[in-house]
Each structure stands twice: as C-alpha cells, then as structure tokens.
Amino acid sequence: GTSHSSKLVGPDRLTWTGEVETVSFLDAPGFCNLQTVGLQDFSALADTIGISFLVDASKSDWLHPMGLQIETGYRRFGIAVVYSAPSVQKPIDEDSDIVELYAAWEDFTASVYGQDVEAPALDATELAKTNMVGMTTYLSHQQARSMLSCSPSLDESHDETA
C-alpha cells in the first residue's frame, strides 16, 4: 500500500508519525503499524492485567480507536498470530495533557492477516511468551495523517472504574 509512517525514539518518549492512504484496488483505507523489532522478552506482561501507552495529547493527533497489539510466538497455519484490541482513552488527571490508551488482556482477539483465528487465551502462561508489542491504525478504518507522542507503561493495577 501507500500508507507510511516513521518513528523518532528519544530517551523516554517515542514519536510516531504517518499517513494512512486509501488502497486503490480495495477503495478502502490502509493502515500503519508500529512494532518492536526482532524477538524481545516481554515476559513481565504475565504479571499485568493489560497494557497502556501514555500519550501527550498536546503533541498528538491520532486515529481512533488506536489498536494495541502483541505476539507470543504462537503460529496458526505457519503464520504468526497477532493479538489485538482497540484502546480505550482516558485522561490521567484533569490538570494534564497526558492521556492513557489502555486495553485489558480479556479484550484482545487473535488474528492472522486481519482474520480472526482460534489461539491460546492470553493467560499468564501465554503472556510470559510475549515477544512483540505494538500499535496499529488498522482498527480505525480511516484515512488521515496521524502523530502520536507517547511512553509505554506496563499496567499492574489498572482501575476500570476510575
């Protein structure tokens, strides 16, 4: 496709910019993904109830909902399964421009090339195998320019009612 994005990594911040273009032969928006590179150890996710990214809303303009993604190494049809969920956005506090993009593990579904597949549940055993985390514009199904300035956060005590 013609969609494109790039990232700039600082000491405690990541800025992701891009543009989702229309895929001409589908006459539908494409998407951009931001993912960790190579196989990495995110076994600490086994002790969490979800994942979140803290976003500086004053420096960001992103597509909604932003999708959050992980891979655990599980393969279906010989292809890596991607677990993804739409993020929920909520302010950290009323005096800050920082918002949280959050998804609970129970909200993640498994897919291969965008098609839902059966895969192991994201329990502590499966989460301990996580080797990739990422974000995607795919779930927004929109064409637009986007910029996100964020820092990652492993959430051990997320309060759904706050």
Side-chain angles (χ1 to χ4, degrees):
T2 58
S3 298
H4 56 89
S5 66
S6 62
K7 67 180 182 327
L8 176 64
V9 180
D12 62 351
R13 179 152 318 279
L14 177 137
T15 302
W16 180 33
T17 59
E19 185 164 1
V20 176
E21 305 271 358
T22 296
V23 178
S24 59
F25 66 91
L26 295 174
D27 194 30
F31 60 92
C32 295
N33 288 337
L34 174 70
Q35 300 174 332
T36 54
V37 178
L39 299 179
Q40 301 201 22
D41 180 7
F42 293 101
S43 57
L45 292 177
D47 298 325
T48 66
I49 60 170
I51 190 167
S52 66
F53 290 83
L54 301 179
V55 176
D56 185 341
S58 69
K59 298 179 182 175
S60 303
D61 182 20
W62 64 93
L63 298 171
H64 300 274
M66 186 64 68
L68 305 185
Q69 301 177 319
I70 68 166
E71 289 181 13
T72 65
Y74 182 76
R75 300 179 80 73
R76 181 86 180 190
F77 316 114
I79 302 166
V81 168
V82 176
Y83 292 88
S84 60
S87 63
V88 175
Q89 176 184 325
K90 63 186 230 180
I92 298 298
D93 66 55
E94 57 191 52
D95 296 328
S96 173
D97 288 328
I98 304 298
V99 298
E100 177 184 30
L101 300 182
Y102 174 79
W105 298 129
E106 63 193 26
D107 296 330
F108 279 69
T109 58
S111 66
V112 171
Y113 296 130
Q115 300 299 310
D116 288 349
V117 296
E118 288 189 30
L122 288 179
D123 58 16
T125 301
E126 194 65 22
L127 286 166
K129 301 174 189 175
T130 301
N131 57 37
M132 183 281 293
V133 297
M135 301 172 79
T136 183
T137 64
Y138 178 76
L139 298 176
S140 72
H141 303 289
Q142 297 176 53
Q143 173 186 339
R145 289 180 185 245
S146 182
M147 184 178 89
L148 198 94
S149 179
C150 68
S151 59
S153 169
L154 297 181
D155 192 345
E156 297 179 34
S157 61
H158 189 270
D159 181 0
E160 287 290 322
T161 61

